[in-house]
Amino acid sequence: MTERELFDSFNKDVYRTCYYMLRNAQDAEDLCHDVFVTVFRQDWRNVEHLHAWIMRIVMNQCLNILKRNKSKHEKQDQVRWLHKQTTDSVKSLDAIVLEKETTEEWEELLKQLPEKLMTVVTLRYIGELSINEIADILKIPVGTVKSRNHKALKMMRKKLEHNQTFWLKGEKQYGTH
C-alpha cells in the first residue's frame, strides 16, 4: 500500500472523528493533516492493526487539543434545548443516536458529555468501531469502554427525556398542543 492509498483509505474516518471530537471544520482539517504527517513519519507498513493504530493517534491528538483548549470551551448553556422530539421517546436510544448523527441535536448531546464519555461515544457511533477496538485505541479495559458507553447513553437519554418534557409542558402552557 502506498502513502496515497493509505490516505485515501482512512482520510474520511480520520476527518469525521476529528470533526466530531473538535466540532470545528478547520481544526478537524488541520488535525487530519497532522495525523497523516505523524503516520507517514512512523513505520506504518509494519503495523498489524492499521485502522486501530491510526485511530489511536487521532484520539490522542484530539484529546491533547481538547485539554489545551479546555479553558476556552467551558460548558455552554444547556438552555438551547427547546426542541421538538415527541416521537423519540418511543424509539430505542440506538435508533435515536443513529438518526441524530448529522443533526445539531446530536452535536449538542455530544458537547454536554464529559470528555471521556464523548470519546467513547464518538468512536462507537461516529467512527463505527467495536468495543474491543475502542478499548485498544484508548488503552483501557473493555469493561470500562462498555461502562462509559452505557453511562453516556444514559445521560443522553435523560437529556432527551428532559427536553421532551420541557417542550411538551411549553406546548400545554401556551395552548399549542
Side-chain angles (χ1 to χ4, degrees):
M1 175 183 291
T2 66
E3 287 180 351
R4 182 66 188 176
E5 291 169 335
L6 177 84
F7 178 81
D8 290 342
S9 296
F10 297 107
N11 183 44
K12 283 184 180 181
D13 286 343
V14 169
Y15 175 80
R16 183 175 48 227
T17 302
C18 291
Y19 178 78
Y20 276 96
M21 288 296 293
L22 304 176
R23 294 177 297 279
N24 179 294
Q26 186 60 51
D27 290 346
E29 282 183 36
D30 292 345
L31 187 58
C32 186
H33 175 266
D34 293 347
V35 165
F36 282 103
V37 168
T38 301
V39 167
F40 295 146
R41 287 182 178 166
Q42 304 295 319
D43 189 16
W44 60 271
R45 286 183 174 89
N46 293 323
V47 174
E48 186 176 344
H49 301 287
L50 198 54
H51 186 254
W53 180 71
I54 290 172
M55 294 309 288
R56 181 182 305 138
I57 292 170
V58 171
M59 291 311 300
N60 286 339
Q61 291 193 14
C62 283
L63 291 172
N64 287 340
I65 287 174
L66 288 172
K67 285 175 187 172
R68 269 187 250 132
N69 296 335
K70 196 167 191 162
S71 62
K72 295 177 188 174
H73 299 317
E74 293 298 323
K75 303 266 182 193
Q76 295 184 352
D77 295 337
Q78 296 179 4
V79 182
R80 293 184 199 169
W81 267 103
L82 302 175
H83 219 341
K84 64 174 175 69
Q85 291 306 325
T86 55
T87 58
D88 284 349
S89 61
V90 179
K91 300 175 187 174
S92 75
L93 188 59
D94 286 338
I96 293 168
V97 166
L98 292 174
E99 285 177 10
K100 300 208 178 304
E101 185 173 305
T102 59
T103 67
E104 284 183 30
E105 251 185 321
W106 173 244
E107 290 181 26
E108 285 297 319
L109 284 173
L110 279 176
K111 285 179 191 176
Q112 295 176 19
L113 290 175
E115 192 175 284
K116 288 180 180 182
L117 302 182
M118 179 183 65
T119 301
V120 170
V121 171
T122 300
L123 288 173
R124 181 77 176 117
Y125 296 102
I126 306 302
E128 299 177 355
L129 297 174
S130 71
I131 299 293
N132 290 334
E133 289 172 319
I134 296 168
D136 186 43
I137 289 167
L138 299 178
K139 295 185 179 182
I140 58 176
V142 170
T144 303
V145 173
K146 289 179 181 178
S147 170
R148 288 180 184 176
N149 189 55
H150 177 74
K151 185 174 182 177
L153 294 178
K154 186 175 176 182
M155 289 174 71
M156 292 168 75
R157 172 177 281 144
K158 196 174 203 177
K159 284 283 184 195
L160 284 171
E161 289 171 356
H162 170 74
N163 294 333
Q164 287 174 351
T165 302
F166 188 79
W167 179 255
L168 290 173
K169 283 182 182 177
E171 287 180 340
K172 288 178 184 175
Q173 180 180 355
Y174 297 108
T176 58
H177 187 60

